[in-house]
Amino acid sequence: MKVKEVADLVGISVRTLHHYDEIGLLRPETTEAGYRMYSERDLETLQQILFFKELGFSLKEIQKILEDPAFDRKEALELQRKMLVEKRSHVDHMITTIDKTIKQMLGEIEMTNKEKFEGMNFDHNPYEEEARRRWGDEKVDESNNKIKGMSKEDKKKLSEEWDGIYTRLAKLRHGSPDSAEAQEAIHEWYEFLNHFGQYSYEAFRGLGQMYVDDERFTKNIDNYGEGLAIFMRDAMAVYAD
Amino acid sequence: MKVKEVADLVGISVRTLHHYDEIGLLRPETTEAGYRMYSERDLETLQQILFFKELGFSLKEIQKILEDPAFDRKEALELQRKMLVEKRSHVDHMITTIDKTIKQMLGEIEMTNKEKFEGMNFDHNPYEEEARRRWGDEKVDESNNKIKGMSKEDKKKLSEEWDGIYTRLAKLRHGSPDSAEAQEAIHEWYEFLNHFGQYSYEAFRGLGQMYVDDERFTKNIDNYGEGLAIFMRDAMAVYAD
DNA sequence: CATTGACCCTCACGTTGCGTTATATCCTAT
DNA sequence: ATAGGATATAACGCAACGTGAGGGTCAATG
């Protein structure tokens, strides 16, 4: 398929396809005349690109993800689905804010200024974090905008807090994931994470699962104590219920 | 409230607030020292701005809307709500596409290339059209990207088609809105509109209501025949059922 | 009163992701 | 051969800020 056909099929511009080729994001084969010829495989890649793009990833980030050796299309689709579900609930949240605002205008309710802007800030989708961890930067503190702006001292404090929570959980790992102590520590972990993103309980549960599914995380977490990743997954699941 | 307080409350940057001031979109009072002081009214305006922005309007467009003498905050909130509901169903559509894609990968279903990109193209929200009509340009052909690229001849053809449908409906207006003839003509109107936007039946119904609610549209439509706006609203509602 | 740290200002260059226009070549039907 | 549609590259421009520089203001504290 040539550019116009793809552009019309997909609903993007020829210029966009050129641009993606130029930056190496989606490089089709070319004919002898220099025409771009897109394959079925290219269309699949394009679908991935457009899903990630819709979810707010920059083209650079998308490229990084697609080039990661660990990238798996089915996994990506499943993650993208989760992100879209989250996005949908975010839209719901905005609708709720509008409903409340209208009621406030009619004098039916009171509303704080803070409430008027709820749902407005979607700069951190928890599954975006997951995508970055899975296929991008492993170090959360390097990929998080809020952390980037922090002073060294604040970063140190943050690191210690993180460390403290993990250490505490490591001590509790031989016990039951639904014990009061464990749940208290997990609560703190949830609060900690919510400084940087808006985690729904579902997303929190999913993150715990990822600690176990993804070897890189299991390995890092289990540095605090053998089996901690599994323990955290279970405790997080209890917490999310 | 000064800039940082507003920025923190709302979740945007100080730079953004500066920018909005510079372009005249949101101009707060200033102190003698030159500091920006935001009022409650400014926060309400900011909420509007951010809702429209979330819905894909450019800052220029938003400015135009907010400056329109006919702008009404409650109306805006209600319209924004409708747009968010539409956006949500668009997200749903994308989720459906992902589900299908996964099934196709597993060999459970077949899928055309076209189907793989369904939901991907959200470049024309029907309620966006409504906002533009209500507070922006009244002439649809001047605000619609697809029409902009057309030749004079094509525009003329379009205008005649539009005219023809309206004239036909005017002849039918003394009859019943649910008659076969009326419904056939409304179907053509629906198809006509769908050349330029993706109208759900709900959006189509809402548009008909707007013909009656908004005096400017009633007036224009009733030039074709007294009472046509009401007739069209009713016929469009029947069609949407 | 002086100092300090947080916050404020303006200015201006840079970034991202294309849209748009110009110019030239390729392809296919007539 | 011609014409019209499609393709290519090149390159300027734009929207909406992000970022850094340099300087002023404010309020608490010593």
Side-chain angles (χ1 to χ4, degrees), chain B residues 3 6 60 158 220 225:
Chain B
V3 283
V6 173
K60 200 175 215 177
L158 203 73
N220 284 338

Side-chain angles (χ1 to χ4, degrees), chain A residues 5 23-24 38 45 91 119 144 149 151 202 206 216-217 224 235 239:
Chain A
E5 195 178 348
I23 64 174
Y38 291 86
T45 303
V91 176
N144 190 293
S151 65
E202 198 53 41
R216 285 174 298 182
F217 290 98
Y224 286 89
Y239 184 81

